[in-house]
Amino acid sequence: DRGNYRHFMQKEIYEQPVVVAQTLRSYLQRLEGRVTLPIPESDLSDVRRVTVVACGTSFYAGMVARYWFEQFARVPVDIDVASEFRYRQPVMEPGGLALFISQSGETADTLAALRHARAEGQRIAVVCNVPTSSMAREADILLPTHAGPEIGVASTKAFTCQLAVLAALAANLARAKGKLSEAAEREIVRHLSEAPAAINGALAYDEAIEAMAGTVASARDVLYLGRGTDYPLALEGALKLKEISYIHAEGYAAGEMKHGPIALIDDAVPVIVIAPSGPLFEKTVSNMQEVRARGGRVILISDYDGVAAAGEGCIATITMPKVHPLIAPIVYAVPVQLLAYHVAVAKGTDVDQPRNLAKSVTVE
Ligand code: F6R
């Protein structure tokens, strides 16, 4: 039931404060400031390496998580899309943890990769939104997202819930490996607990995003740029836009622009820059200025400080609440989803059932 919403996708975008809170509740003990996994045996102290495998939006959630696993737990991470993973004969050392991320738990490539990793002696962790799915059943460690059924073909609330679970897993892994002090764990719990309210703050910008959708809707090509955990978000923004509005879009690491894609820049290509203020801000903004110097029309997504520092000369800015870098990818997913949504509505495409796509891809 869509309720008062025009599309399931819109409803699911709006459910995020509630479902992210619901998901976090089963991983965080807020009062104790502890992160716990909802499984009886969760000792991860012997994990030496994590191999992450997924498809599409779930893969981008994995890309964000790689930063966290490396930063907090100091564990080496290998990551690939499921359809390539098996064919490159990946090296998986005994005792490694293989992590599969899937909304449906039925994606054929991801499931085949899971079985391959099991045959290679890996411990299997699954982040999944459907507890009765094949992947959930075959997991050694099942880490559920509590997003509720996702009907829109374009994944939204499952993605932010995946990020919430992956942040909790990173903290748990870090603690198990002796890399996380009690105080640092308490801080992580505090920051994650702030995510639902910050998502609400991001949703408050909906009308402003709707107002700028026309600019993007008339473009033939759109670029998304980000650095650090905002790089996977740039990829996710581009995927969301192409799948529901059929506009060609690409996401790039901001610093990679000058190695080729900047040749595409002219005043017909909107460039969406995702840059919360913080340690990576200056570098991303200088990449943004390179785009502007070539006549590129920039839409900057940042917080108040970032927009104040670098918003001038952009064709539009989107102001997010100021948040800790840990939860920035969860919060900044929202404007990226809303922009794709409003552009698709402006173009009159079938938002919930885009052409050529199925909700669950059960062929390899
Ligand atoms: C994009 C999208 C797809 C899925 C991908 C994996 O909006 O929905 O890219 O993310 O097909 O699906 P799951 O997560 O079910 O394995």
Side-chain angles (χ1 to χ4, degrees), residues 287-327:
N287 302 133
M288 180 180 106
Q289 305 302 14
E290 292 161 8
V291 168
R292 293 226 357 251
R294 285 153 188 86
R297 295 186 310 152
V298 173
I299 297 175
L300 174 64
I301 311 181
S302 186
D303 45 41
Y304 182 81
D305 292 344
V307 167
E312 214 183 291
C314 295
I315 58 163
T317 56
I318 299 175
T319 311
M320 288 292 103
K322 180 121 188 184
V323 293
H324 187 270
L326 174 65
I327 63 165

Tab-separated table of all heavy atoms in Angstrom, residues 287-327:
chain	number	residue	atom	x	y	z
A	287	ASN	N	38.675	19.974	-7.197
A	287	ASN	CA	38.232	19.250	-8.404
A	287	ASN	C	36.966	19.887	-8.974
A	287	ASN	O	36.794	19.980	-10.188
A	287	ASN	CB	37.963	17.772	-8.097
A	287	ASN	CG	39.171	17.040	-7.538
A	287	ASN	OD1	39.044	16.323	-6.553
A	287	ASN	ND2	40.334	17.245	-8.124
A	288	MET	N	36.121	20.341	-8.088
A	288	MET	CA	34.885	21.005	-8.516
A	288	MET	C	35.213	22.306	-9.252
A	288	MET	O	34.591	22.628	-10.263
A	288	MET	CB	34.039	21.282	-7.271
A	288	MET	CG	32.739	21.972	-7.536
A	288	MET	SD	31.870	22.233	-5.971
A	288	MET	CE	32.125	23.986	-5.769
A	289	GLN	N	36.211	23.031	-8.754
A	289	GLN	CA	36.595	24.299	-9.416
A	289	GLN	C	37.150	24.033	-10.812
A	289	GLN	O	36.935	24.819	-11.735
A	289	GLN	CB	37.604	25.093	-8.572
A	289	GLN	CG	37.163	25.395	-7.121
A	289	GLN	CD	35.849	26.168	-7.000
A	289	GLN	OE1	35.076	26.295	-7.957
A	289	GLN	NE2	35.546	26.639	-5.784
A	290	GLU	N	37.861	22.895	-10.969
A	290	GLU	CA	38.367	22.541	-12.305
A	290	GLU	C	37.195	22.357	-13.275
A	290	GLU	O	37.251	22.766	-14.428
A	290	GLU	CB	39.169	21.226	-12.252
A	290	GLU	CG	40.485	21.314	-11.495
A	290	GLU	CD	41.019	19.930	-11.055
A	290	GLU	OE1	40.460	18.886	-11.466
A	290	GLU	OE2	41.990	19.914	-10.279
A	291	VAL	N	36.138	21.750	-12.762
A	291	VAL	CA	34.936	21.550	-13.588
A	291	VAL	C	34.307	22.896	-13.927
A	291	VAL	O	33.952	23.168	-15.080
A	291	VAL	CB	33.919	20.659	-12.833
A	291	VAL	CG1	32.563	20.679	-13.517
A	291	VAL	CG2	34.447	19.233	-12.720
A	292	ARG	N	34.203	23.766	-12.925
A	292	ARG	CA	33.578	25.075	-13.135
A	292	ARG	C	34.381	25.917	-14.120
A	292	ARG	O	33.814	26.608	-14.962
A	292	ARG	CB	33.435	25.802	-11.798
A	292	ARG	CG	32.426	25.100	-10.890
A	292	ARG	CD	31.438	26.035	-10.225
A	292	ARG	NE	31.692	27.413	-10.538
A	292	ARG	CZ	32.177	28.316	-9.673
A	292	ARG	NH1	32.444	27.960	-8.435
A	292	ARG	NH2	32.349	29.542	-10.042
A	293	ALA	N	35.706	25.813	-14.024
A	293	ALA	CA	36.574	26.594	-14.910
A	293	ALA	C	36.371	26.203	-16.371
A	293	ALA	O	36.723	26.953	-17.278
A	293	ALA	CB	38.028	26.408	-14.498
A	294	ARG	N	35.829	25.022	-16.598
A	294	ARG	CA	35.559	24.575	-17.970
A	294	ARG	C	34.092	24.742	-18.349
A	294	ARG	O	33.600	24.068	-19.259
A	294	ARG	CB	36.024	23.135	-18.145
A	294	ARG	CG	37.533	23.070	-18.244
A	294	ARG	CD	38.130	21.761	-17.790
A	294	ARG	NE	39.593	21.883	-17.760
A	294	ARG	CZ	40.282	22.355	-16.716
A	294	ARG	NH1	39.663	22.736	-15.615
A	294	ARG	NH2	41.602	22.425	-16.775
A	295	GLY	N	33.422	25.581	-17.616
A	295	GLY	CA	32.033	25.886	-17.958
A	295	GLY	C	31.025	24.902	-17.403
A	295	GLY	O	29.833	24.976	-17.718
A	296	GLY	N	31.493	23.950	-16.590
A	296	GLY	CA	30.590	22.944	-16.037
A	296	GLY	C	29.583	23.561	-15.068
A	296	GLY	O	29.900	24.496	-14.342
A	297	ARG	N	28.366	23.042	-15.070
A	297	ARG	CA	27.319	23.547	-14.179
A	297	ARG	C	27.198	22.623	-12.983
A	297	ARG	O	26.783	21.471	-13.123
A	297	ARG	CB	26.001	23.635	-14.941
A	297	ARG	CG	26.092	24.703	-16.077
A	297	ARG	CD	24.754	24.907	-16.733
A	297	ARG	NE	24.183	23.624	-17.101
A	297	ARG	CZ	22.881	23.386	-17.188
A	297	ARG	NH1	22.025	24.336	-16.926
A	297	ARG	NH2	22.451	22.208	-17.546
A	298	VAL	N	27.602	23.135	-11.839
A	298	VAL	CA	27.741	22.275	-10.660
A	298	VAL	C	26.548	22.403	-9.721
A	298	VAL	O	26.087	23.508	-9.430
A	298	VAL	CB	29.039	22.637	-9.894
A	298	VAL	CG1	29.114	21.871	-8.581
A	298	VAL	CG2	30.263	22.356	-10.759
A	299	ILE	N	26.078	21.264	-9.259
A	299	ILE	CA	25.136	21.212	-8.134
A	299	ILE	C	25.920	20.647	-6.950
A	299	ILE	O	26.409	19.511	-7.015
A	299	ILE	CB	23.925	20.318	-8.453
A	299	ILE	CG1	23.131	20.900	-9.633
A	299	ILE	CG2	23.044	20.148	-7.224
A	299	ILE	CD1	21.970	20.028	-10.104
A	300	LEU	N	26.073	21.432	-5.920
A	300	LEU	CA	26.872	21.011	-4.766
A	300	LEU	C	25.956	20.493	-3.657
A	300	LEU	O	25.037	21.188	-3.227
A	300	LEU	CB	27.701	22.190	-4.240
A	300	LEU	CG	28.479	21.944	-2.940
A	300	LEU	CD1	29.555	20.861	-3.110
A	300	LEU	CD2	29.109	23.242	-2.419
A	301	ILE	N	26.241	19.278	-3.202
A	301	ILE	CA	25.545	18.738	-2.030
A	301	ILE	C	26.542	18.745	-0.882
A	301	ILE	O	27.553	18.026	-0.919
A	301	ILE	CB	25.023	17.304	-2.258
A	301	ILE	CG1	24.257	17.188	-3.589
A	301	ILE	CG2	24.152	16.869	-1.089
A	301	ILE	CD1	23.700	15.793	-3.865
A	302	SER	N	26.289	19.578	0.105
A	302	SER	CA	27.200	19.677	1.242
A	302	SER	C	26.385	20.090	2.460
A	302	SER	O	25.150	20.051	2.428
A	302	SER	CB	28.305	20.700	0.933
A	302	SER	OG	29.265	20.710	1.973
A	303	ASP	N	27.084	20.447	3.548
A	303	ASP	CA	26.352	20.981	4.695
A	303	ASP	C	26.469	22.499	4.688
A	303	ASP	O	27.030	23.083	3.754
A	303	ASP	CB	26.899	20.379	6.004
A	303	ASP	CG	28.422	20.388	6.013
A	303	ASP	OD1	29.014	21.399	5.557
A	303	ASP	OD2	29.015	19.389	6.436
A	304	TYR	N	25.948	23.138	5.726
A	304	TYR	CA	25.898	24.595	5.741
A	304	TYR	C	27.293	25.197	5.554
A	304	TYR	O	27.489	26.101	4.732
A	304	TYR	CB	25.273	25.072	7.066
A	304	TYR	CG	25.155	26.563	7.128
A	304	TYR	CD1	24.100	27.220	6.505
A	304	TYR	CD2	26.130	27.321	7.786
A	304	TYR	CE1	24.009	28.595	6.533
A	304	TYR	CE2	26.044	28.702	7.819
A	304	TYR	CZ	24.981	29.335	7.191
A	304	TYR	OH	24.907	30.703	7.208
A	305	ASP	N	28.270	24.670	6.285
A	305	ASP	CA	29.637	25.208	6.183
A	305	ASP	C	30.206	25.016	4.783
A	305	ASP	O	30.853	25.901	4.237
A	305	ASP	CB	30.567	24.511	7.196
A	305	ASP	CG	30.217	24.880	8.621
A	305	ASP	OD1	29.488	25.884	8.809
A	305	ASP	OD2	30.653	24.159	9.547
A	306	GLY	N	29.971	23.833	4.223
A	306	GLY	CA	30.494	23.542	2.892
A	306	GLY	C	29.866	24.427	1.831
A	306	GLY	O	30.552	24.946	0.947
A	307	VAL	N	28.556	24.608	1.935
A	307	VAL	CA	27.850	25.451	0.962
A	307	VAL	C	28.312	26.903	1.116
A	307	VAL	O	28.539	27.609	0.131
A	307	VAL	CB	26.320	25.314	1.137
A	307	VAL	CG1	25.572	26.397	0.369
A	307	VAL	CG2	25.862	23.926	0.674
A	308	ALA	N	28.512	27.344	2.374
A	308	ALA	CA	28.978	28.721	2.599
A	308	ALA	C	30.375	28.914	2.005
A	308	ALA	O	30.680	29.942	1.414
A	308	ALA	CB	28.982	29.029	4.096
A	309	ALA	N	31.219	27.877	2.125
A	309	ALA	CA	32.603	28.014	1.669
A	309	ALA	C	32.743	27.894	0.154
A	309	ALA	O	33.628	28.506	-0.434
A	309	ALA	CB	33.480	26.964	2.364
A	310	ALA	N	31.888	27.086	-0.474
A	310	ALA	CA	32.156	26.752	-1.885
A	310	ALA	C	30.925	26.826	-2.780
A	310	ALA	O	31.017	26.522	-3.963
A	310	ALA	CB	32.769	25.354	-1.948
A	311	GLY	N	29.803	27.254	-2.235
A	311	GLY	CA	28.559	27.215	-3.009
A	311	GLY	C	28.450	28.277	-4.096
A	311	GLY	O	27.679	28.123	-5.048
A	312	GLU	N	29.238	29.341	-3.942
A	312	GLU	CA	29.109	30.439	-4.896
A	312	GLU	C	29.488	29.983	-6.304
A	312	GLU	O	30.497	29.312	-6.489
A	312	GLU	CB	30.019	31.589	-4.460
A	312	GLU	CG	29.435	32.945	-4.779
A	312	GLU	CD	30.392	34.049	-4.389
A	312	GLU	OE1	30.599	34.232	-3.173
A	312	GLU	OE2	30.934	34.691	-5.309
A	313	GLY	N	28.678	30.370	-7.262
A	313	GLY	CA	28.989	29.987	-8.641
A	313	GLY	C	28.399	28.644	-9.044
A	313	GLY	O	28.446	28.269	-10.209
A	314	CYS	N	27.848	27.906	-8.066
A	314	CYS	CA	27.165	26.660	-8.417
A	314	CYS	C	25.765	27.011	-8.932
A	314	CYS	O	25.188	28.022	-8.522
A	314	CYS	CB	27.035	25.756	-7.192
A	314	CYS	SG	28.628	25.198	-6.563
A	315	ILE	N	25.216	26.168	-9.821
A	315	ILE	CA	23.866	26.483	-10.300
A	315	ILE	C	22.829	26.175	-9.222
A	315	ILE	O	21.737	26.732	-9.225
A	315	ILE	CB	23.501	25.767	-11.619
A	315	ILE	CG1	23.610	24.248	-11.470
A	315	ILE	CG2	24.356	26.278	-12.766
A	315	ILE	CD1	22.874	23.501	-12.568
A	316	ALA	N	23.186	25.291	-8.308
A	316	ALA	CA	22.293	25.002	-7.187
A	316	ALA	C	23.102	24.375	-6.065
A	316	ALA	O	24.163	23.793	-6.307
A	316	ALA	CB	21.174	24.049	-7.621
A	317	THR	N	22.587	24.491	-4.858
A	317	THR	CA	23.223	23.817	-3.729
A	317	THR	C	22.148	23.098	-2.925
A	317	THR	O	20.990	23.528	-2.897
A	317	THR	CB	23.947	24.826	-2.793
A	317	THR	OG1	23.006	25.810	-2.369
A	317	THR	CG2	25.115	25.501	-3.507
A	318	ILE	N	22.545	22.014	-2.309
A	318	ILE	CA	21.638	21.248	-1.449
A	318	ILE	C	22.318	21.172	-0.085
A	318	ILE	O	23.440	20.669	0.019
A	318	ILE	CB	21.404	19.835	-2.027
A	318	ILE	CG1	20.759	19.932	-3.423
A	318	ILE	CG2	20.549	18.997	-1.084
A	318	ILE	CD1	20.584	18.595	-4.135
A	319	THR	N	21.638	21.693	0.944
A	319	THR	CA	22.271	21.813	2.255
A	319	THR	C	21.805	20.714	3.198
A	319	THR	O	20.638	20.685	3.601
A	319	THR	CB	21.954	23.183	2.886
A	319	THR	OG1	22.222	24.192	1.914
A	319	THR	CG2	22.820	23.424	4.108
A	320	MET	N	22.724	19.831	3.553
A	320	MET	CA	22.417	18.732	4.462
A	320	MET	C	22.733	19.151	5.892
A	320	MET	O	23.534	20.051	6.113
A	320	MET	CB	23.283	17.516	4.111
A	320	MET	CG	22.887	16.837	2.823
A	320	MET	SD	21.270	16.039	2.993
A	320	MET	CE	20.225	17.204	2.144
A	321	PRO	N	22.116	18.470	6.877
A	321	PRO	CA	22.530	18.740	8.254
A	321	PRO	C	24.009	18.389	8.417
A	321	PRO	O	24.530	17.533	7.697
A	321	PRO	CB	21.663	17.794	9.088
A	321	PRO	CG	20.924	16.918	8.146
A	321	PRO	CD	21.085	17.434	6.770
A	322	LYS	N	24.651	19.065	9.323
A	322	LYS	CA	26.068	18.781	9.578
A	322	LYS	C	26.147	17.486	10.392
A	322	LYS	O	25.574	17.395	11.461
A	322	LYS	CB	26.671	19.943	10.372
A	322	LYS	CG	28.116	19.750	10.677
A	322	LYS	CD	28.938	20.868	10.113
A	322	LYS	CE	30.412	20.549	10.273
A	322	LYS	NZ	31.265	21.634	9.840
A	323	VAL	N	26.843	16.494	9.853
A	323	VAL	CA	26.887	15.197	10.543
A	323	VAL	C	28.316	14.687	10.640
A	323	VAL	O	29.191	15.117	9.903
A	323	VAL	CB	26.026	14.129	9.813
A	323	VAL	CG1	24.548	14.479	9.898
A	323	VAL	CG2	26.463	13.949	8.370
A	324	HIS	N	28.533	13.743	11.539
A	324	HIS	CA	29.837	13.094	11.656
A	324	HIS	C	30.122	12.312	10.363
A	324	HIS	O	29.200	11.720	9.787
A	324	HIS	CB	29.822	12.154	12.866
A	324	HIS	CG	31.166	11.579	13.166
A	324	HIS	ND1	31.603	10.398	12.610
A	324	HIS	CD2	32.192	12.053	13.917
A	324	HIS	CE1	32.843	10.162	13.029
A	324	HIS	NE2	33.219	11.143	13.816
A	325	PRO	N	31.389	12.281	9.927
A	325	PRO	CA	31.733	11.580	8.675
A	325	PRO	C	31.245	10.120	8.631
A	325	PRO	O	30.914	9.612	7.557
A	325	PRO	CB	33.254	11.633	8.633
A	325	PRO	CG	33.635	12.816	9.453
A	325	PRO	CD	32.553	12.991	10.484
A	326	LEU	N	31.165	9.459	9.789
A	326	LEU	CA	30.725	8.059	9.795
A	326	LEU	C	29.321	7.912	9.215
A	326	LEU	O	29.055	6.969	8.468
A	326	LEU	CB	30.763	7.495	11.230
A	326	LEU	CG	30.198	6.079	11.406
A	326	LEU	CD1	31.037	5.039	10.654
A	326	LEU	CD2	30.110	5.700	12.882
A	327	ILE	N	28.422	8.832	9.558
A	327	ILE	CA	27.044	8.664	9.080
A	327	ILE	C	26.757	9.475	7.820
A	327	ILE	O	25.654	9.398	7.268
A	327	ILE	CB	25.990	8.956	10.176
A	327	ILE	CG1	26.053	10.413	10.642
A	327	ILE	CG2	26.141	8.001	11.347
A	327	ILE	CD1	24.808	10.819	11.446
